[in-house]
């Protein structure tokens, strides 16, 4: 199998799997219990929190575990609006993941004003529009660090600079950037930042929100005293242990992964552009997570390409995993100005740590043949932009 859908989820790193199974066999204690079998679990959680904080340049007490990246995004946005009920404006971008997008629609239903800052043809936000949207009523700006469909990296440091001049808090969804580029909360200057374990070779169902010390935020989930009263519920201990181990590996070999993935992706991109006529690269040439490649294949339905590739055990995506089974055109591809038929002809290939040069050669052999055959069958007039 050739897995090119690492932005949807990554395979569990075998070392993470080993660590989790050892832990699962030996430790069942509740971290809130005061006797030794609970304490040992509590200590392991603290160690994971410390590792994640270290990777982000944060303090241990600024990391709050959540049930997913989605929950971390909800916690950030709703938690800030609950803490500042007198403020009624939210600013985000037109290309956010549904975790932020749907939370923005929820705020609108609650009577808040939301501004969706537009992006250019490469998926880069319009900073002038962002600046214009800020008012004294703005509680929060949430702009994703890297986009899941295009890989485009937003200028978060500039967003923060604009926001700080006006005293507005900034959240960034770093679920797709963490582990792929340097993500340091102090360099970025953000107040809140979301991450998720299953995008960095860790388990599913565990995420974290970084909250800068002193930030006024309310919990999303009420109950027990876990996570210093900020996220009630007995901890997903095994998930937290796996997340910590995944991040420990990132700290150890993340740079090597980056170089490896970039080399493979550059080779694949050039190969597709050389071998396949009438393709369009969607995304930014330089300000991009290099392992994310999104291409439109004029005249074709992306789903037909995806299914043909799947018969060869090559797995890609037609957009974000969350909208895979919907008929709608991706809101991200619409936002960069693609006509619906071009958006519907687009596939995303996202590379990861376990891809090899041989994988790229196989894709560069199979994909051009598939595209040619499908175009013969459809025999459509191909209309390029
Ligand atoms: N934000 C972005 C940018 C994502 O790509 C994803 C997952 O696809 C999420 C948030 C949601 O993370 P999770 O799957 O952990 O809920």
């Amino acid at each position: 199998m050739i897995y090119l859908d690492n932005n949807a989820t990554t395979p569990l790193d075998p070392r993470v799997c080993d660590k989790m199974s050892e832990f699962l066999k030996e430790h069942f204690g509740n971290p809130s219990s005061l006797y030794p079998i609970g304490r040992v679990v509590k200590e392991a959680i603290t160690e994971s929190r410390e590792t994640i904080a270290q990777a982000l340049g944060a303090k241990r007490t600024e990391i709050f575990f959540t049930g997913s990246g989605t929950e971390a995004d909800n916690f950030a946005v709703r938690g800030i609006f609950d803490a500042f009920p007198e403020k009624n404006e939210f600013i985000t971008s037109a290309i956010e993941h549904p975790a932020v997008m749907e939370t923005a629609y929820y705020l609108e239903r609650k009577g808040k004003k939301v501004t969706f800052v537009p992006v250019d043809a490469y998926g880069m936000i319009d900073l002038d529009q962002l600046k214009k949207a800020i008012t004294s009523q703005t509680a929060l700006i949430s702009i994703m660090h890297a986009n899941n469909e295009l890989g485009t990296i937003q200028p978060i440091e500039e967003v923060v600079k604009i926001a700080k001049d006006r005293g507005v808090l900034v959240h960034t969804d770093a679920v797709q950037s963490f582990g792929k580029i340097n993500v340091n909360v102090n360099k970025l200057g953000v107040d809140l930042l979301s991450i998720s374990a299953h995008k960095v070779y860790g388990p599913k169902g565990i995420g974290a929100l970084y909250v800068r010390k002193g930030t006024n935020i309310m919990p999303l989930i009420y109950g027990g005293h876990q996570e210093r009263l900020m996220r009630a519920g007995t901890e997903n201990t095994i998930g937290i242990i796996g997340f910590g181990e995944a991040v420990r590996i990132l700290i150890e070999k993340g740079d090597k992964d980056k170089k490896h993935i970039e080399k493979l992706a550059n080779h694949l991109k050039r190969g597709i552009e050389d071998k396949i006529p009438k393709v369009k690269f969607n995304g930014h040439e330089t300000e991009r997570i290099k392992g994310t490649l999104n291409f439109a294949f004029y005249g074709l339905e992306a789903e037909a390409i995806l299914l043909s590739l799947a018969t060869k055990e090559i797995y890609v995506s037609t957009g974000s995993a969350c909208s895979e089974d919907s008929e709608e055109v991706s809101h991200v591809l619409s936002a960069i100005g693609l006509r619906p038929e071009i958006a519907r002809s687009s596939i995303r290939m996202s590379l990861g740590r376990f891809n090899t040069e041989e994988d790229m050669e196989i894709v560069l052999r199979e994909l051009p043949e598939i595209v040619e055959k499908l175009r013969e069958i459809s025999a459509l007039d191909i209309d390029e932009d």
Side-chain angles (χ1 to χ4, degrees):
M1 147 174 119
I2 299 174
Y3 184 71
L4 295 182
D5 204 9
N6 287 273
N7 284 12
T9 196
T10 51
L12 201 63
D13 190 291
R15 285 162 293 183
V16 175
C17 190
D18 288 347
K19 177 101 183 185
M20 287 172 74
S21 29
E22 262 170 51
F23 195 87
L24 204 52
K25 273 183 252 161
E26 287 173 25
H27 302 291
F28 71 91
N30 187 324
S32 296
S33 302
L34 295 178
Y35 40 78
I37 58 167
R39 299 307 302 172
V40 71
V41 176
K42 176 109 184 156
E43 277 161 28
I45 289 178
T46 302
E47 201 180 306
S48 284
R49 201 188 305 277
E50 183 78 52
T51 306
I52 291 164
Q54 187 197 336
L56 294 172
K59 297 182 192 76
R60 194 174 74 204
T61 50
E62 294 174 316
I63 304 298
F64 296 89
F65 288 112
T66 61
S68 59
T70 299
E71 188 190 317
D73 285 343
N74 271 262
F75 178 13
V77 178
R78 293 167 65 177
I80 292 297
F81 274 88
D82 279 351
F84 296 92
E86 72 286 4
K87 302 230 169 174
N88 65 0
E89 293 184 15
F90 177 49
I91 301 173
T92 188
S93 84
I95 60 165
E96 296 297 311
H97 185 272
V100 170
M101 221 58 178
E102 291 296 330
T103 308
Y105 298 143
Y106 163 82
L107 290 178
E108 278 186 329
R109 288 194 296 276
K110 292 272 166 194
K112 307 284 180 191
K113 179 180 172 229
V114 181
T115 305
F116 297 94
V117 176
V119 295
D120 66 15
Y122 307 101
M124 200 59 93
I125 56 158
D126 184 330
L127 289 173
D128 285 333
Q129 293 284 340
L130 174 85
K131 221 180 272 178
K132 278 189 202 141
I134 300 175
T135 76
S136 59
Q137 283 300 304
T138 309
L140 180 69
I141 297 173
S142 177
I143 304 288
M144 70 198 320
H145 195 193
N147 181 264
N148 42 306
E149 293 188 42
L150 302 169
T152 305
I153 301 165
Q154 302 298 341
I156 298 299
E157 289 169 56
E158 286 176 58
V159 171
V160 169
K161 216 181 316 151
I162 293 168
K164 293 297 142 191
D165 279 351
R166 309 285 295 274
V168 176
L169 295 170
V170 178
H171 164 249
T172 192
D173 174 342
V175 167
Q176 288 294 347
S177 57
F178 183 56
K180 299 179 181 128
I181 55 172
N182 185 26
V183 176
N184 181 296
V185 291
N186 294 317
K187 192 160 171 286
L188 292 172
V190 291
D191 304 290
L192 305 124
L193 179 143
S194 308
I195 55 174
S196 177
H198 76 101
K199 311 288 183 178
V200 294
Y201 315 93
K204 291 163 188 48
I206 181 77
L209 181 68
Y210 157 80
V211 182
R212 186 174 292 281
K213 189 169 183 273
T215 306
N216 190 8
I217 184 166
M218 294 296 281
L220 189 64
I221 297 174
Y222 293 87
H225 286 223
Q226 294 88 358
E227 299 296 294
R228 281 159 290 132
L229 288 165
M230 291 309 291
R231 201 278 187 176
T234 301
E235 296 86 340
N236 172 5
T237 52
I238 192 65
I240 293 172
I241 300 315
F243 198 178
E245 180 65 4
V247 174
R248 191 194 61 73
I249 296 167
L250 274 186
I251 294 172
E252 188 187 289
K253 69 182 286 274
D255 285 344
K256 206 168 142 216
D257 281 349
K258 266 175 236 163
K259 285 191 196 116
H260 170 70
I261 292 169
E262 184 166 343
K263 188 167 159 230
L264 296 184
N266 287 345
H267 177 63
L268 181 59
K269 181 172 183 290
R270 270 196 304 273
I272 290 173
E273 286 167 340
D274 287 349
K275 289 178 180 221
I276 307 180
K278 299 187 164 75
V279 295
K280 177 186 184 309
F281 182 70
N282 300 322
H284 205 286
E285 279 297 336
T286 55
E287 299 308 302
R288 191 183 84 249
I289 299 292
K290 295 298 190 304
T292 301
L293 301 175
N294 193 314
F295 276 103
F297 296 86
Y298 288 98
L300 295 181
E301 286 289 334
E303 212 175 282
I305 305 173
L306 179 146
L307 294 174
S308 302
L309 283 169
T311 64
K312 311 277 180 187
E313 295 192 11
I314 300 171
Y315 301 116
V316 302
S317 150
T318 58
S320 88
C322 306
S323 61
E324 195 99 307
D325 56 2
S326 105
E327 288 286 299
E328 282 167 40
V329 167
S330 142
H331 69 288
V332 176
L333 299 182
S334 297
I336 63 168
L338 293 192
R339 295 201 311 268
E341 68 273 24
I342 308 297
R344 270 197 290 271
S345 78
S346 297
I347 64 169
R348 176 189 73 185
M349 288 161 274
S350 48
L351 279 59
R353 175 183 292 170
F354 300 114
N355 286 123
T356 63
E357 283 181 21
E358 198 196 347
D359 289 349
M360 301 303 110
E361 295 315 322
I362 295 172
V363 175
L364 287 173
R365 195 179 64 223
E366 301 291 347
L367 184 60
E369 268 181 34
I370 286 171
V371 170
E372 196 184 334
K373 269 198 203 125
L374 289 173
R375 278 183 177 153
E376 270 170 26
I377 298 165
S378 66
L380 286 172
D381 276 344
I382 298 168
D383 179 16
E384 286 185 63
D385 271 344

